[in-house]
Structures are given as structure tokens and as C-alpha cells.
């Protein structure tokens, strides 16, 4: 089936509804003049049966800023270690959304919506993370023809509480929390009723976000070495 939107560079997991319709995810212009993320439910012939707009944050909530150069060129920059817009797509048509600045997500399962909330503590940036952030800001400023202090963002003191959100093949929502640099990654697992069922830890250098795959007790993650080369890593929980 062809996509029903023009967002050819957008990546989202391939999922289906409980009745077998394909979920196609992409951005489309909104009625307000902006861009909205939409979940389209398609029939076997590619007809749009239903669509759901995923609520999006204000750009500043996720550290996105527009900077105009002296020559009136416009750049879109992201603050290092800013909160992310969290959107996860799972099996049987379930999905979740939130913002990484708080441990509070909306889990949609059929007609039901559950509020997922957890405890967090502030996680400070390490010296290495702060150095990388300062280097990124210096590079952004150079592109815009400005000094780093002239940009509308700086290096935050702490990381957002939530790093990522994604589903496993059993339909459990994984909420990955930020941790101290170099520490094992950790995530809370929530079932379809919005109940916390498990906490999992795995090596710091392995990502389990899509396009990784997670089963009930093992997964295929992505490991990146010091040269940036990526490998598939099998992880047992």
C-alpha cells in the first residue's frame, strides 16, 4: 500500500489494529496552519477508514528554537538534552504519547485511556555530556553567525526525567528513564490496564528504541561502538 501522506522520511513501527487494519503514521498540515502527527487506519485496499491526530507540544517544550541570522536566514535548532516528544506505537492499535519533561503519559488501548505516571529524581549532566552540549551550542551559533550567549538556549543543569517510550511485542509500554551517564539503562513496563508490571535494566550502550525489537523476555537492540559503527545485540531480561 502507498502511504496516505507525504512524510517519506518519517520512521514509525509497523502496527495493526485488533481487526487487522494497517496503521500508517506521518505528518500532515493541520487546520491551524502547522504540522500534526496523524495515525491513519487503512483498509486492505489502502482506503483511510479512520484517523487520529497525536497531540503535539509547543516547540519550546521540546527545546526547538527558530534563530534568524544577520542575513535573515532561518535555522531550526534543538537544545541539547531537551525533553523529547514521546510517541509510541504498539500492537493491537494501542499507542501512547507524552513529553519527556515529566513522567506522565497517556496510554490509549481501544476506547480506554490510562494515565501512566511514575516517580523520578533529577539526573545531572556529567562533565562529558556538558562538554558535548557546549560543543553543539558553539556549532549552532557558528552556523547562525552568532555567539553562543546570543542563542535562546543553553546547557540544562539536569536531564529530562523520561528518555524514551516504546512498546514490546506483548503490547507492554516501556518508559525508559534517564540515568547517570554510563549507568545501565532502566525502564518501567506498563500493561494494557495501566498497571506497572516490571522494571528492567540493560547495558548502557544498547538502545531498545525502534527500530530495535523487544519480545517478552529478550530483545534485539542496537549497540554503537566508539567509532559510531552499529551492531545488533541480543539482550535477555
Amino acid at each position: 500500500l502507498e502511504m496516505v501522506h507525504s512524510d517519506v522520511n518519517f520512521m514509525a513501527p509497523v502496527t495493526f489494529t485488533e481487526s487487522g487494519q494497517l496503521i500508517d503514521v506521518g505528518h500532515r498540515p493541520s487546520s491551524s496552519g502547522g504540522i500534526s502527527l496523524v495515525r491513519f487506519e487503512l483498509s486492505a485496499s489502502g482506503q483511510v477508514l479512520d484517523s487520529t491526530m497525536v497531540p503535539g507540544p509547543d516547540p519550546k517544550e521540546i527545546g526547538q528554537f527558530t534563530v534568524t541570522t544577520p542575513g535573515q536566514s532561518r535555522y531550526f535548532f534543538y537544545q541539547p538534552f531537551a525533553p523529547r516528544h514521546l510517541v509510541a506505537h504498539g500492537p493491537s492499535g494501542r499507542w501512547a504519547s507524552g513529553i519527556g519533561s515529566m513522567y506522565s503519559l497517556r496510554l490509549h488501548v481501544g476506547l480506554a485511556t490510562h494515565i501512566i505516571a511514575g516517580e523520578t529524581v533529577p539526573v545531572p549532566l556529567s562533565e562529558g555530556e556538558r562538554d558535548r552540549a557546549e560543543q553543539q551550542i558553539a556549532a549552532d551559533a557558528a552556523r547562525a553567525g552568532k555567539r553562543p550567549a546570543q542563542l535562546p538556549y543553553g546547557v540544562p543543569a539536569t536531564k529530562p526525567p523520561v528518555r524514551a517510550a516504546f512498546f514490546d511485542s506483548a503490547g507492554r509500554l516501556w518508559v525508559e528513564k534517564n540515568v547517570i551517564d554510563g549507568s545501565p539503562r532502566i525502564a518501567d513496563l506498563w500493561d494494557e490496564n495501566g498497571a506497572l508490571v516490571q522494571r528492567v535494566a540493560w547495558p548502557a550502550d544498547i538502545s531498545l528504541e525502534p527500530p530495535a525489537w523487544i519480545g517478552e523476555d529478550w530483545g534485539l537492540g542496537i549497540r554503537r561502538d566508539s567509532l559510531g559503527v552499529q551492531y545488533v545485540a541480543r539482550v535477555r531480561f
Side-chain angles (χ1 to χ4, degrees), residues 86 96-98 102-107 114-117 162 165 173 175:
L86 306 171
S97 66
M102 62 184 68
Y103 195 146
S104 179
L105 294 90
R106 299 176 69 87
L107 170 62
H114 306 287
I115 302 299
I116 301 299
V162 179
L173 175 65
V175 180

Side-chain angles (χ1 to χ4, degrees), residues 30-226:
S30 66
S31 57
S32 62
I35 300 295
S36 296
L37 181 63
V38 183
R39 290 168 47 89
F40 299 95
E41 182 181 323
L42 307 184
S43 69
S45 62
Q47 178 185 1
V48 177
L49 302 176
D50 197 7
S51 64
T52 303
M53 187 180 71
V54 178
D58 183 276
K60 291 184 179 179
E61 290 184 283
I62 54 174
Q64 179 183 330
F65 297 91
T66 303
V67 178
T68 304
T69 70
Q72 298 304 305
S73 296
R74 298 177 67 196
Y75 288 92
F76 295 93
F77 291 132
Y78 284 89
Q79 180 185 27
F81 297 100
R84 298 167 64 181
H85 182 203
L86 306 171
V87 183
H89 310 278
S92 302
R94 62 193 62 177
W95 61 283
S97 66
I99 303 176
S101 57
M102 62 184 68
Y103 195 146
S104 179
L105 294 90
R106 299 176 69 87
L107 170 62
H108 304 273
V109 182
L111 299 178
T113 299
H114 306 287
I115 302 299
I116 301 299
E119 297 292 332
T120 59
V121 295
V123 180
L125 271 65
S126 68
E127 290 186 9
E129 289 172 328
R130 180 169 293 278
D131 288 343
R132 293 196 299 272
E134 290 175 348
Q135 291 172 12
Q136 178 184 324
I137 291 175
D140 291 347
R143 288 183 61 197
K146 297 178 180 292
R147 299 188 306 275
Q150 293 178 297
L151 297 181
Y153 55 91
V155 180
T158 60
K159 305 177 189 180
V162 179
R163 177 173 184 166
F166 42 89
F167 285 91
D168 61 21
S169 63
R172 298 174 299 184
L173 175 65
W174 289 51
V175 180
E176 182 183 349
K177 294 185 278 190
N178 265 311
V179 295
I180 295 174
D181 190 23
S183 299
R185 299 193 185 203
I186 57 174
D188 295 335
L189 279 59
W190 302 82
D191 68 12
E192 63 181 7
N193 298 312
L196 178 64
V197 293
Q198 191 177 352
R199 287 191 172 93
V200 174
W202 68 98
D205 61 345
I206 297 177
S207 172
L208 292 178
E209 295 182 60
W213 178 89
I214 313 172
E216 292 195 44
D217 56 7
W218 68 279
L220 296 174
I222 299 172
R223 167 175 274 154
R224 188 187 299 269
D225 66 14
S226 60

Side-chain angles (χ1 to χ4, degrees), residues 12-37:
V14 176
T15 59
F16 296 84
T17 67
E18 287 188 314
S19 55
Q21 273 73 47
L22 176 69
I23 300 294
D24 186 13
V25 184
H27 290 85
R28 268 193 173 180
S30 66
S31 57
S32 62
I35 300 295
S36 296
L37 181 63

